[in-house]
Amino acid sequence: METAVTSPPRAVKRGPLGGTDSDAQPGRSLRAGTRFSTWTPLNNRSGNLQLFEERTNLVLHWFDLWTDGQRKHLLRSLLARCSRPQLKYCKDVLMEAVPVTHVDFTSLLPRFLSLYVMSFLSPRDLCCAAQVSWHWRVLAEQDCLWAGRCISRGWFLPYAPGEKESGAWRNHYVSCVATLDRLTPREAAERYGTLNLQSTGMTEEEEERRKERRIRQMIRDKVQEEKKHAMRTRKVWGSYSKPQGAAGGGTQAGRPGSGITLSSWPSLPWPPRAAGSPSVCLSLDRGLGPAAQSLESGQASRTSSERLSRARGALSSFTSRPPPSVSTTPLPLLLLISSRVPAYELVLSGVKDGVVVVLYDHRGTLSALLTQVERTVSGQRAQRLGLLAPGGTEEIHLLHGRRLSERTLLTPDHREFWEKLCGWVAPTEEGGGIDIFSPLAASAPGVALMQNLSTLTGLEVLAPMGFATGCFQNILSEWSDGRVCSGLWDQRPASPALRFVCEAALLGWCRQAQWMEEALGELRGRRGPQLQSVGFQARGRALGHLLWEEIRLEELCVSKDLNEALTEGLTALTRQGETRPLEFLAVFLKRWSEEKEGGESSGGDRGRNRAADDFSLAPHGSQEGVGPIAQLPQMLFDWRGAAARELLHSECLYLGRLGAVLKVYQEPLTATLNSNRAILSYADIHIVLSPVTQMLELNRGFQAELAARLQQWGAEQCVGDLLVKLCSKLRVYTNYLQNYSTALRTIDKCRETKPPFRAFLKRADRSLATHMLSLQELLLCPVWRIQEYVTLLQALSLHTHSSHPDHAHLRSALRTLLGFRDFIQKLKRNSERDELMEETQKMIQGCPSLSEGNRQLITTQDAALLSSPDEQIPDSLRTYQQVSDVGLFLFSDALLLTRRSVRLPPFSVAQQISHSFLASVDLSGLTAREITHSRYVRHAFVLEGPCRSWVCATERGEERDHFLCALRSAMRSAPTGQP
């Protein structure tokens, strides 16, 4: 319709709506008479409705004449102009017209949820669902739905499906159901092989099995023929006569009063057993019985007798053949090593063959550790379980915040962990047990922990007894299972530790662990991630080079005998420690070949010779039950005297180190002061060395009294009063520890500002007179000595009866020393916290002051900062892109974000990492939430502050879980009300 627009009064030409304009009366006003104008009259309701209906009909008439594209364009334009209530109304109308319940759920749900729903369907229902649509057919034929149904029935695919092949298990299921091709496990193994062994060609054993089945079938056929013949030729019922010479009535061999005997009964499938005869479970005997009866009774023909004789001879030769020998390989040993163990790298380098090592992160959880162990053992059972984790005489620091002690063992999480973990260990009857590398057997709480753990797991638990001073040297002392029988303490030499680690590596680690940990700790803090990646790459390259370039694994084909000979030869070579390995291996293989050809008798001699060689080649102390130490549990041994002698021996070593401080450092420095050529001032010498003089005087008196007591040692001798006297004078140690950090700072300042003192330290440090230690390391000896006092006192208290007169004094001294040890640990934590804050302050460029109040650094985490182009999209469908690398520094009251920059210098593989300050958020106003894994992002989380939010992602899921757990814990304990 064409409309001409003119000047007011805006008349509208007549169009298709004829007759409407003639109704207007000339007396009406202009507003009421212009119903056909471009505006709608608002003061005339009836005219307004009429004009709206006319225009609606006109628009609908146009809508009917438009194409589909024009209609969609109009609808889109109308919906864009609608308000939210109007859009909601349109939604309700569309829901009534096109209900959502009729939508295909497989097109809306994720694929794994659709497959999970279909997994509850039966095979018949899955086949019906496959007929709905092509999409449903693709889902219904997935292997994950059919593989479990086939495997549970013993139907295995005879081939490996291709990567892009679909529906292989479904077709196999249908074919098996159609042909009822259901095999027994033995037949399935013969046809397809086991899960770990592929099916090969016909072997000798398979031919023997087929021959056996043919003979059985032949016997069954013969028996059936004899039955049929007997049924055709049998006499009338009751006409059987009683044989001559039988007992009256035939009550013993046949039915009572029937006159029927076993010798004339032709239709029995196998002969009944006599009373008291053992039952026969072999299925071969069931087919031989009727044949034997027929031969004895003379009812079978001569031809059938000969055939059955040949069959019996074949079966006897088959059954008399000895079964194939099964080579029993020894079970491996499982060793758990915590990443908090000092210098664990040295322990890993000395692990023996046959030991499976699990190096776990101490920051993890018990469930994560259990999963890691399960993935490592892969269902294989271990002979023994070893645990190397930080700990003392009363508890084990298994994980961060998870200490294993007598009190925490029976908690639900620890109980479940140990029950599942020890389920993979062989029982005690087969030599299984748990070896804990902590001196639990040196104290009563530790022994109680060992006994409770043994009761819980049903395994033997061994631990060191602590009769060796040093950082980790107690591992080298005797081991015990914590049981006291008739006053005799059950103990063993240090062989449990030598089962897992070579003796040389274990000795070096025990003696030098503390020193290496201090150096490696700083190295890990600065180059930790880089060292980890470089280590993985180096191990992978070395293994690949060895297998594929040196050994040429793809070309290597070794027989079973050669494999066994090489294994034993290399084992003997390892034990022997021969300097000429090639000649030794050649002689061993030649002897192996000669013994192999000698037969079974020589094989027995070979086993005896090899056992003798192994015994002679084994290191001293590695065989249990050999030597004088193994006889100690059978005789009365004075463990109190052993602990007291170890106390005196370690006291002499301690006094030697304190005396070296005075002899090597104090006396020369004092002499230079008196000769007017002072290297240090009197005040500096007093600050650094005067407390050592006081401790040396105190301990010399204690050592002299202790030596006098040991010279007159007896069952009732007491040393507890001497220890109580020593504890009453520990004020000297308290002053020394409080001024210890000041003494170290004084040494550093004087070394930097006074060249003569620097030259003096260079001559005196790490010499034979100082036990190859520096001045700072010698000043640390009193701290170590307190821990040694605690360990030895716990051993003395454990082996001292409660009625002994020395028991009360020992317990009193032990309580005092335990409190003093806690005081030292508190000072150490405060010092480490301050040093860590200073290092963090220096590390971050442009960082505000961190030394405020009682702030502590909890943890740090490297992450990637992500951003999304559209924030309105749900998290599961949102795409992210990495903006930069960030560092997350979690403090006790705030979270610090830094921009992390990684730079690789030219001609170098070492990375240089720097941090610059980005933002800081108070924990009281911070919230954190995880982002669900999707195809676009993994291991991501959102940190929302008062003003802005950050989306971060870590490399591994364990890192994200650990950081979020620490963050939520810090948020709960953070003080509120801070600005």
Side-chain angles (χ1 to χ4, degrees):
M1 182 184 68
E2 296 181 357
T3 305
V5 182
T6 61
S7 59
R10 299 177 182 176
V12 180
K13 291 185 178 181
R14 293 180 180 272
L17 302 178
T20 57
D21 192 30
S22 60
D23 297 336
Q25 299 178 5
R28 293 183 178 178
S29 63
L30 179 63
R31 181 181 298 272
T34 57
R35 290 182 299 171
F36 294 99
S37 63
T38 57
W39 57 277
T40 303
L42 301 178
N43 56 354
N44 191 342
R45 182 176 181 81
S46 59
N48 191 336
L49 294 175
Q50 182 179 0
L51 184 60
F52 176 75
E53 293 177 358
E54 293 173 354
R55 292 179 177 177
T56 302
N57 295 332
L58 179 61
V59 172
L60 293 177
H61 175 71
W62 289 345
F63 190 82
D64 294 338
L65 299 178
W66 288 342
T67 62
D68 182 68
Q70 293 173 339
R71 293 179 179 181
K72 292 179 179 178
H73 180 71
L74 177 63
L75 292 175
R76 189 182 301 109
S77 301
L78 291 176
L79 292 176
R81 294 174 177 269
C82 293
S83 61
R84 294 183 64 89
Q86 294 169 356
L87 290 175
K88 185 177 180 181
Y89 172 76
C90 295
K91 178 183 175 182
D92 296 339
V93 173
L94 290 176
M95 289 286 291
E96 294 178 0
V98 185
V100 180
T101 55
H102 295 173
V103 177
D104 184 7
F105 72 93
T106 60
S107 61
L108 297 180
L109 295 178
R111 183 186 181 90
F112 73 95
L113 288 181
S114 301
L115 292 175
Y116 179 73
V117 173
M118 288 189 173
S119 65
F120 294 97
L121 299 179
S122 63
R124 185 184 299 273
D125 295 336
L126 284 175
C127 296
C128 296
Q131 303 176 7
V132 175
S133 62
W134 282 101
H135 183 60
W136 281 51
R137 179 178 179 180
V138 171
L139 293 177
E141 292 183 354
Q142 293 297 313
D143 291 340
C144 60
L145 299 177
W146 295 93
R149 291 176 168 86
C150 292
I151 295 175
S152 62
R153 293 168 173 81
W155 301 339
F156 297 93
L157 277 177
Y159 67 97
E163 295 182 358
K164 297 184 179 180
E165 183 178 358
S166 177
W169 285 95
R170 182 254 183 193
N171 297 332
H172 185 63
Y173 183 91
V174 173
S175 62
C176 291
V177 171
T179 59
L180 294 179
D181 189 12
R182 188 168 183 173
L183 304 178
T184 62
R186 180 176 178 180
E187 294 173 345
E190 293 176 358
R191 181 172 180 179
Y192 301 117
T194 60
L195 294 178
N196 298 326
L197 181 63
Q198 297 182 355
S199 179
T200 57
M202 184 69 67
T203 61
E204 183 180 358
E205 294 183 2
E206 292 178 354
E207 292 179 357
E208 292 291 339
R209 294 192 191 99
R210 290 195 175 187
K211 184 178 179 180
E212 175 189 353
R213 287 197 294 268
R214 288 196 300 267
I215 295 174
R216 288 183 178 180
Q217 187 62 33
M218 181 181 63
I219 295 175
R220 294 192 192 100
D221 296 340
K222 183 60 182 175
V223 171
Q224 292 296 332
E225 292 178 2
E226 292 176 357
K227 286 184 179 180
K228 293 179 181 179
H229 178 74
M231 292 298 294
R232 288 194 301 266
T233 59
R234 69 175 182 175
K235 299 180 181 181
V236 182
W237 183 265
S239 61
Y240 288 93
S241 59
K242 182 177 179 181
Q244 298 294 331
T251 57
Q252 292 181 358
R255 296 183 179 182
S258 63
I260 303 175
T261 61
L262 286 177
S263 61
S264 63
W265 191 260
S267 59
L268 284 176
W270 58 80
R273 299 190 305 269
S277 61
S279 61
V280 181
C281 299
L282 293 176
S283 60
L284 300 177
D285 297 339
R286 297 186 177 183
L288 293 176
Q293 295 173 21
S294 61
L295 291 175
E296 293 174 1
S297 60
Q299 297 179 1
S301 61
R302 182 176 181 180
T303 305
S304 61
S305 300
E306 294 177 354
R307 294 175 60 187
L308 290 177
S309 299
R310 289 195 300 268
R312 182 184 300 175
L315 285 177
S316 61
S317 63
F318 178 80
T319 55
S320 61
R321 184 164 47 88
S325 60
V326 180
S327 59
T328 58
T329 58
L331 297 179
L333 302 176
L334 180 61
L335 178 60
L336 306 183
I337 300 180
S338 173
S339 61
R340 289 293 294 174
V341 171
Y344 63 82
E345 294 86 354
L346 184 58
V347 181
L348 292 177
S349 66
V351 172
K352 292 184 176 180
D353 295 335
V355 178
V356 180
V357 181
V358 177
L359 179 62
Y360 65 91
D361 189 357
H362 77 286
R363 303 178 302 174
T365 60
L366 291 175
S367 59
L369 175 56
L370 197 64
T371 303
Q372 184 178 0
V373 174
E374 182 179 5
R375 184 170 57 250
T376 303
V377 300
S378 301
Q380 187 178 9
R381 194 169 58 172
Q383 181 68 32
R384 295 189 70 87
L385 171 66
L387 177 60
L388 180 55
T393 56
E394 302 174 358
E395 59 184 8
I396 305 172
H397 303 167
L398 189 61
L399 294 170
H400 180 70
R402 292 283 185 177
R403 299 192 176 187
L404 180 64
S405 62
E406 180 186 5
R407 179 174 50 86
T408 62
L409 176 61
L410 298 181
T411 56
D413 49 355
H414 276 284
R415 184 186 185 93
E416 181 182 4
F417 169 77
W418 284 102
E419 287 177 351
K420 292 183 178 180
L421 180 62
C422 295
W424 297 314
V425 182
T428 307
E429 295 77 11
E430 301 178 8
I434 305 175
D435 300 325
I436 301 178
F437 290 60
S438 297
L440 296 179
S443 65
V447 171
L449 171 60
M450 294 171 57
Q451 295 175 352
N452 294 339
L453 185 59
S454 178
T455 304
L456 176 63
T457 60
L459 300 175
E460 179 188 37
V461 181
L462 298 179
M465 300 182 66
F467 291 135
T469 54
C471 185
F472 285 92
Q473 294 189 40
N474 46 50
I475 298 177
L476 304 176
S477 65
E478 290 78 9
W479 287 51
S480 172
D481 58 357
R483 292 179 297 179
V484 181
C485 302
S486 303
L488 303 180
W489 187 260
D490 185 16
Q491 61 84 36
R492 306 181 185 186
S495 57
L498 299 179
R499 295 173 181 171
F500 299 89
V501 188
C502 297
E503 185 176 6
L506 186 62
L507 286 173
W509 174 76
C510 290
R511 294 170 180 170
Q512 306 297 331
Q514 188 66 27
W515 313 105
M516 288 184 291
E517 175 61 17
E518 294 179 358
L520 291 176
E522 184 177 359
L523 185 60
R524 290 196 203 102
R526 297 180 181 272
R527 303 291 185 185
Q530 181 181 355
L531 286 176
Q532 184 179 6
S533 61
V534 170
F536 289 153
Q537 295 175 6
R539 286 194 292 269
R541 292 169 184 169
L543 183 60
H545 178 77
L546 176 65
L547 293 179
W548 303 109
E549 297 185 16
E550 298 294 336
I551 300 180
R552 297 186 179 275
L553 188 61
E554 72 279 1
E555 302 176 1
L556 189 62
C557 183
V558 181
S559 63
K560 181 179 179 181
D561 295 338
L562 181 58
N563 188 12
E564 184 179 357
L566 288 175
T567 302
E568 293 200 9
L570 293 176
T571 304
L573 179 61
T574 304
R575 295 176 179 175
Q576 183 71 13
E578 183 65 36
T579 58
R580 298 176 296 176
L582 295 179
E583 297 180 4
F584 176 83
L585 189 59
V587 173
F588 183 89
L589 292 178
K590 183 178 179 180
R591 186 184 63 180
W592 173 274
S593 177
E594 294 174 354
E595 294 174 350
K596 193 71 174 179
E597 296 174 357
E600 296 181 357
S601 59
S602 62
D605 297 337
R606 181 191 65 186
R608 290 189 292 271
N609 294 336
R610 185 183 300 112
D613 293 342
D614 293 347
F615 177 80
S616 62
L617 297 176
H620 177 70
S622 62
Q623 299 291 335
E624 294 184 5
V626 179
I629 297 182
Q631 305 297 329
L632 288 178
Q634 302 176 5
M635 62 184 66
L636 185 60
F637 191 85
D638 185 12
W639 291 111
R640 292 189 70 252
R645 286 189 292 271
E646 178 62 28
L647 179 61
L648 178 61
H649 173 69
S650 58
E651 188 72 17
C652 295
L653 295 178
Y654 174 60
L655 292 178
R657 294 179 179 179
L658 292 183
V661 175
L662 300 183
K663 182 178 180 180
V664 179
Y665 296 98
Q666 187 178 25
E667 293 180 1
L669 291 176
T670 305
T672 57
L673 185 64
N674 297 331
S675 61
N676 295 327
R677 294 182 179 180
I679 298 177
L680 289 182
S681 62
Y682 177 79
D684 294 335
I685 297 176
H686 180 76
I687 293 175
V688 176
L689 301 176
S690 62
V692 179
T693 306
Q694 301 174 7
M695 290 186 296
L696 184 60
E697 294 176 358
L698 173 63
N699 286 87
R700 279 177 177 172
F702 171 72
Q703 186 262 349
E705 295 177 353
L706 182 60
R709 295 286 180 91
L710 286 178
Q711 289 179 357
Q712 302 176 358
W713 184 257
E716 299 297 326
Q717 186 62 269
C718 299
V719 295
D721 54 341
L722 301 180
L723 293 168
V724 171
K725 180 180 178 181
L726 176 66
C727 293
S728 63
K729 301 178 181 180
L730 288 181
R731 182 66 180 177
V732 177
Y733 281 83
T734 303
N735 298 333
Y736 172 78
L737 292 173
Q738 290 178 347
N739 298 325
Y740 174 68
S741 57
T742 305
L744 293 182
R745 287 195 296 267
T746 303
I747 294 174
D748 296 336
K749 182 189 67 175
C750 294
R751 187 179 62 248
E752 294 176 359
T753 59
K754 298 180 179 180
F757 183 65
R758 188 185 310 118
F760 173 77
L761 291 180
K762 188 175 181 180
R763 293 191 306 268
D765 282 348
R766 305 191 184 281
S767 59
L768 294 178
T770 61
H771 303 270
M772 302 304 295
L773 301 176
S774 64
L775 176 59
Q776 292 89 336
E777 293 166 349
L778 288 173
L779 294 179
L780 192 58
C781 290
V783 178
W784 299 338
R785 187 55 183 167
I786 294 298
Q787 178 59 44
E788 293 175 356
Y789 280 147
V790 171
T791 304
L792 293 173
L793 266 180
Q794 287 176 334
L796 275 172
S797 301
L798 179 64
H799 298 286
T800 302
H801 197 267
S802 58
S803 60
H804 197 278
D806 201 22
H807 184 267
H809 292 108
L810 290 175
R811 300 300 297 177
S812 175
L814 179 59
R815 286 193 298 268
T816 304
L817 288 174
L818 286 174
F820 202 81
R821 186 186 64 177
D822 296 339
F823 169 69
I824 295 176
Q825 293 176 354
K826 181 179 179 181
L827 293 178
K828 183 179 179 180
R829 288 194 298 267
N830 294 337
S831 177
E832 292 176 351
R833 181 192 63 187
D834 298 340
E835 185 178 358
L836 184 60
M837 294 295 290
E838 294 178 1
E839 293 180 356
T840 307
Q841 184 78 45
K842 297 177 182 178
M843 184 191 307
I844 305 174
Q845 301 176 2
C847 178
S849 177
L850 298 177
S851 302
E852 297 179 359
N854 197 22
R855 179 176 295 164
Q856 300 180 13
L857 179 61
I858 299 176
T859 184
T860 61
Q861 180 61 53
D862 295 338
L865 184 62
L866 308 178
S867 67
S868 177
D870 192 353
E871 301 293 338
Q872 302 298 329
I873 303 177
D875 292 342
S876 59
L877 302 177
R878 189 182 304 175
T879 59
Y880 294 90
Q881 59 182 359
Q882 183 174 349
V883 178
S884 63
D885 293 331
V886 295
L888 304 176
F889 293 80
L890 178 60
F891 296 91
S892 57
D893 58 345
L895 176 65
L896 188 67
L897 286 85
T898 63
R899 188 179 303 276
R900 186 168 56 93
S901 301
V902 180
R903 188 176 68 88
L904 190 67
F907 308 104
S908 175
V909 296
Q911 298 178 352
Q912 294 183 358
I913 302 176
S914 60
H915 294 266
S916 58
F917 178 75
L918 185 63
S920 62
V921 186
D922 190 84
L923 293 183
S924 60
L926 181 67
T927 58
R929 60 182 179 88
E930 301 179 9
I931 297 180
T932 308
H933 290 343
S934 67
R935 59 185 302 181
Y936 307 107
V937 66
R938 295 181 63 84
H939 314 315
F941 55 95
V942 181
L943 301 175
E944 297 180 351
C947 301
R948 57 169 300 185
S949 62
W950 299 270
V951 180
C952 304
T954 59
E955 287 289 338
R956 298 182 300 170
E958 295 84 357
E959 296 178 352
R960 183 192 68 170
D961 297 340
H962 168 69
F963 177 75
L964 291 182
C965 180
L967 177 60
R968 294 189 178 105
S969 177
M971 291 168 58
R972 287 192 298 266
S973 59
T976 58
Q978 293 185 357

